[in-house]
Every structure is written in structure tokens, then in C-alpha cells.
Amino acid sequence: MNILIFGPNGSGKGTQGAIVQKKYGVPHIETGVIFRQNIAGGTDLGKQAKAFIDKGELVPDDITIPMILNRIKEADCSKGWLLDGFPRNLAQAEAMYEALTKENIPLNYVIEIELAREIAKKRIMGRRLCANDNNHPNNIYIDATKPAEKDGKFVCRVCGGELSTRADDQDEGAIDKRHNIYYDANTGTMAAINYFKERATVIGVDGGPGVTEVSEELLKKLG
Ligand code: AMP
């Protein structure tokens, strides 16, 4: 099963991707994670990618495209893959589709988690981290995961732990930059999604409701 998953930063794409990965038992390949691992490992690829990532720009296609096309040929992808974070623009989508067609590799599903830009931004900025457990979701803008209040302060809704924000979640400029790329329907990620709408089965789900509702809708549509 070969699947692409799309969704803006703040749409819950990572969470839904993990659920899809579990359903099909294929590796969840996240471009951003590969880059970060290479940066941490001090590889040539990491060194090349770092400057672009630090600026919030895309790593150039001539680095990213071969990296991913090679990655999906590795042994753990023999039963398929779930690609997350690639393609990120129209050029990457075209290169990917051409490579798959040439090698007779099917693209079974393209998942799109739909969320309006303003809501996605609010979600990122509302995210709070629990000091006790990374997996305790808290978001001051989402009713289902709204933190509890103690002495006029927000605390973790699960364990009452202290909450903090991630610096990059509060950086409006960085969020806008990432969203500019995602919502760009001319050459950006939206253009890539539209490209697949004419060539593959695109499953759209509304990313507005809570995690459970979104995953229920997604799993129902995947059949
Ligand atoms: P992410 O973790 O998906 O937010 O990605 C982190 C950073 O990695 C992005 O801001 C880009 O600089 C880079 N990156 C991730 N995916 C791609 C891609 N498909 N093409 C180019 N750069 C990418």
C-alpha cells in the first residue's frame, strides 16, 4: 500500500499519519525527520540541508527528490510506504509521479487533511506542552483538549502538570512562512495536491473536529 499524506502544519497530520501507518503496517517516512536525523548525525546531506531548514525554506529539489525516491526503494518499503512531508511542491509531485509511472509502482491513496489557514495557525499557537508527558495533548483553542485551570493558570488537563509553549509554535513569522508554501496553489503544496486530484484517488477529510472524529472519518473512507 503506497500512500501520500498531506495537511498543513497544525492540522493533526502527524497524529493521523501514525494511525494510517498502524492500519497498513508500512513505514511512516517523514521528510523533515530524515533531514533532522542527518543534521544530528553530521552527514553531508545534513550539512547541505541545515541552512535551508533553519531559514524555514524548502531544501532544494535536487537534494530532496533523489533522497526520497531512493528511500522508498529500501527493504522496509517492500510492502509499501506512507510518505509525509513529500511532495511539498508541484515540481516534487511531478517528479514523484513520473518516477512511479516509469517503474510501474502504484499510488494507492493520497490523503488530504483539510483545514483553513487561520484555524491551522491558531491550533499551532494554542498548543501547550505538559512538563510530565509529551503525549498529554493540551491546546488552549481546542475545546476537546483545553487545559484545566488552577489558581488562574492553565495546567495539563490530564495530570495537572505545568504547561509550556514551544518557541517555534509562537513564532508567527515562521508559521506564516510554512503556511505560505502549503497554501500556494500555483507551485506549492496545494498545487501538488491538485496535481494528484487528476491522477490518483485523493481522500479529503475535514481536519476541523477532534482527533478521534477525524481518524474515524479517515478510516471509514480508506475502507
Ligand atoms: P517538517 O518537519 O515537515 O516541518 O520539515 C522541516 C523542514 O524540512 C522544512 O521546513 C523544510 O526546510 C524541510 N523539508 C521537509 N520536507 C521537505 C520537502 N519535501 N522538500 C524540501 N524541504 C523539505
Side-chain angles (χ1 to χ4, degrees), residues 56-115:
E57 290 171 10
L58 290 186
V59 177
D61 289 344
D62 59 347
I63 298 174
T64 309
I65 293 171
M67 175 184 91
I68 291 297
L69 294 180
N70 288 329
R71 176 66 187 86
I72 62 172
K73 288 193 186 124
E74 285 180 24
D76 63 331
C77 295
S78 61
K79 291 209 172 66
W81 33 262
L82 170 66
L83 265 186
D84 181 340
F86 183 94
R88 205 99 150 193
N89 60 26
L90 182 58
Q92 292 180 2
E94 287 169 348
M96 164 120 225
Y97 189 75
E98 274 165 30
L100 295 180
T101 309
K102 203 166 129 202
E103 298 184 32
N104 255 323
I105 300 171
L107 180 57
N108 302 98
Y109 291 117
V110 176
I111 297 167
E112 180 191 9
I113 306 193
E114 299 159 1
L115 199 63

Side-chain angles (χ1 to χ4, degrees), residues 44-206:
D44 281 345
L45 174 69
K47 282 178 196 143
Q48 286 174 302
K50 189 173 183 320
F52 298 98
I53 292 180
D54 284 349
K55 281 186 285 187
E57 290 171 10
L58 290 186
V59 177
D61 289 344
D62 59 347
I63 298 174
T64 309
I65 293 171
M67 175 184 91
I68 291 297
L69 294 180
N70 288 329
R71 176 66 187 86
I72 62 172
K73 288 193 186 124
E74 285 180 24
D76 63 331
C77 295
S78 61
K79 291 209 172 66
W81 33 262
L82 170 66
L83 265 186
D84 181 340
F86 183 94
R88 205 99 150 193
N89 60 26
L90 182 58
Q92 292 180 2
E94 287 169 348
M96 164 120 225
Y97 189 75
E98 274 165 30
L100 295 180
T101 309
K102 203 166 129 202
E103 298 184 32
N104 255 323
I105 300 171
L107 180 57
N108 302 98
Y109 291 117
V110 176
I111 297 167
E112 180 191 9
I113 306 193
E114 299 159 1
L115 199 63
R117 183 169 179 155
E118 275 318 302
I119 299 174
K121 183 170 173 176
K122 261 187 128 179
R123 283 229 189 137
I124 298 170
M125 300 194 76
R127 197 148 56 184
R128 296 292 180 270
L129 300 182
C130 169
N132 298 328
D133 192 328
N134 245 336
N135 289 317
H136 287 174
N138 287 275
N139 193 305
I140 62 168
Y141 296 128
I142 299 177
D143 284 343
T145 56
K146 215 180 176 73
E149 276 189 64
K150 197 179 159 202
D151 304 330
K153 242 179 58 185
F154 282 129
V155 292
C156 176
R157 48 182 270 281
V158 183
C159 70
E162 235 178 84
L163 294 179
S164 63
T165 54
R166 237 171 67 180
D168 56 345
D169 280 354
Q170 301 306 308
D171 182 343
E172 268 196 82
I175 295 169
D176 286 343
K177 222 166 173 177
R178 275 181 276 167
H179 280 167
N180 281 345
I181 298 171
Y182 188 86
Y183 290 98
D184 173 358
N186 292 317
T187 59
T189 313
M190 278 304 220
I193 298 169
N194 291 335
Y195 174 85
F196 286 115
K197 282 186 179 157
E198 290 162 20
R199 294 167 176 84
T201 306
V202 177
I203 294 183
V205 287
D206 176 8

